[in-house]
Amino acid sequence: MDRPLVAAVLAGGVGSRLYPASRSHRPKQFLSFSAPERGSPEHRPATGGDTLLERTVARADFADEVVVSTRPAFADAVREAVPGASVLVEPAGKDTGPALTYATHRIAERFDDPVVLALPSDHHVAGDFETPARRGARVAAATDSLVTFGVDPDRPDTGYGYVEPGRDRGEYAEVAAFHEKPDAETAQRYVERGYYWNAGIFAWTPAAFLSAAGATDSPLSPLVAALDRGDAEAGFEAVDPVSVDHAVFERAENVAVVPLDVEWDDLGSWDALRRVLPADGDGTVVAGEATVRSVDAGNNVVAGDDVHVSLVGVEDLAVVAYDDRVLVVPAEEAQRVRDLVAELESRGEF
């Protein structure tokens, strides 16, 4: 492909389900899940080591340019964390739809006929990411499709959306339909039918994406029109928060799915650590600067910032302690931490 490839890394969210490691002043992309290290108190990695943002930018280093899109409150910390990347500051945080529309419009202004590779900054990826990423970029350039990357499921999972592939075109398949997060029985059926997990990683040309985002029935059309006028602030004021999936991909006609043949996980909640970190002899996963002692306890997730945690007679819990906050939740209920954070936000306590 002889067109410039620009990686747009999304780093404007907070990651509420990883509370209390993730807080309003320390969003998820500044967390890490490797060996501990020290840093500045405000934005230092809550679990040590390379942050999720740093790993994502490094993963995309094959691109001609890496642009990190974030909100104003996080811009300085992003520049400090990944000085080799360009930083694009969104006028406001309004989910992935407005963020990627703004980023794509700005990238199209800066580069000659580019292809955009859109990446969240909070995923676990192991293996050869470059090969499928370049394949998706080629498909986007050659077909003017909006490309989503699909992960072949290794289990039924109710926490992910699914992509139903249609006609096989060799390097990609047409997308027959997108499916929302299912119940357990439906997830099992999706896996049996060969559906992919929707990885939330995308590729497109600016022309194809902005045409779809600016369509009359798109909730992002006022933003596209305002960006064309050079008034980004007014454009963000004119739209509500919306995901790029709902605003663009589920409405578009020319959508393709490219398999993402890597070890992949969305590190969105505490139970996900079980899948990406080694467990001790009791089946318990420990992250961060936590010391764990247990009696007749197993299969737990413990994370903390210089804490000593004792477990007695309990299983399948997530026990998390950062700053002056402690969270205890059944691991299978970890998705519900988002509901707790909504309550904390309403009280000004997040």
Side-chain angles (χ1 to χ4, degrees):
M1 188 180 73
D2 57 1
R3 301 167 67 166
L5 177 61
V6 180
V9 176
L10 289 173
V14 175
S16 59
R17 288 172 294 165
L18 287 180
Y19 171 85
S22 181
R23 299 274 300 280
S24 59
H25 66 281
R26 186 180 56 217
K28 179 167 62 170
Q29 55 269 25
F30 294 105
L31 305 181
S32 169
F33 298 99
S34 58
E37 72 176 13
R38 299 291 182 180
S40 62
E42 182 178 3
H43 287 294
R44 73 178 172 82
T47 52
D50 292 340
T51 64
L52 295 175
L53 173 60
E54 289 173 283
R55 293 183 182 189
T56 304
V57 169
R59 188 181 310 133
D61 64 358
F62 59 86
D64 296 293
E65 181 88 9
V66 178
V67 176
V68 179
S69 180
T70 191
R71 65 179 69 185
F74 306 149
D76 289 343
V78 169
R79 292 188 181 98
E80 181 180 350
V82 286
S86 299
V87 178
L88 183 61
V89 182
E90 307 155 18
K94 289 200 168 182
D95 211 332
T96 58
L100 285 170
T101 301
Y102 182 58
T104 299
H105 201 279
R106 290 291 301 275
I107 289 169
E109 293 172 346
R110 288 182 51 194
F111 297 91
D112 182 21
D113 202 22
V115 176
V116 176
L117 175 67
L119 309 171
S121 59
D122 56 1
H123 288 179
H124 165 77
V125 175
D128 178 13
F129 177 71
E130 179 178 353
T131 297
R134 287 192 179 278
R135 183 183 305 125
R138 287 197 306 270
V139 170
T143 67
D144 286 326
S145 298
L146 302 178
V147 173
T148 185
F149 290 83
V151 174
D152 193 14
D154 60 8
R155 65 187 184 278
D157 198 304
T158 61
Y160 300 141
Y162 287 73
V163 181
E164 179 182 349
R167 182 176 299 179
D168 188 347
R169 296 293 190 178
E171 284 198 317
Y172 68 97
E174 298 174 1
V175 170
F178 290 94
H179 298 276
E180 296 294 329
K181 297 175 182 178
D183 58 30
E185 182 179 347
T186 304
Q188 178 66 46
R189 187 164 65 249
Y190 287 169
V191 172
E192 292 170 354
R193 292 178 178 177
Y195 294 5
Y196 294 106
W197 285 332
N198 187 354
I201 301 172
F202 309 103
W204 53 63
T205 64
F209 180 84
L210 294 173
S211 175
T216 304
D217 65 341
S218 169
L220 295 172
S221 59
L223 174 57
V224 175
L227 291 172
D228 289 341
R229 298 193 307 268
D231 194 349
E233 288 75 14
F236 270 75
E237 290 175 2
V239 297
D240 295 323
V242 63
S243 72
V244 72
D245 304 81
H246 293 316
V248 178
F249 273 77
E250 294 174 8
R251 301 166 184 268
E253 295 183 357
N254 193 15
V255 184
V257 58
V258 169
L260 186 62
D261 301 320
V262 296
E263 179 184 307
W264 173 90
D265 213 301
D266 179 359
L267 298 178
S269 56
W270 289 113
D271 60 316
L273 295 190
R274 289 173 161 177
R275 300 189 294 268
V276 300
L277 292 179
D280 64 16
D282 295 322
T284 291
V285 166
V286 182
E289 300 176 357
T291 299
V292 178
R293 300 290 182 263
S294 62
V295 176
D296 296 329
N299 300 319
N300 297 293
V301 176
V302 180
D305 183 13
D306 193 21
V307 295
H308 192 293
V309 177
S310 298
L311 305 172
V312 179
V314 295
E315 294 186 353
D316 297 315
L317 292 180
V319 181
V320 187
Y322 286 92
D323 306 322
D324 59 345
R325 308 292 180 93
V326 178
L327 169 76
V328 180
V329 61
E332 65 179 14
E333 300 284 339
Q335 298 286 340
R336 296 184 60 195
V337 174
R338 175 183 290 164
D339 301 330
L340 168 67
V341 169
E343 173 68 17
L344 295 175
E345 287 180 326
S346 72
R347 296 173 176 267
E349 297 176 352
F350 180 59

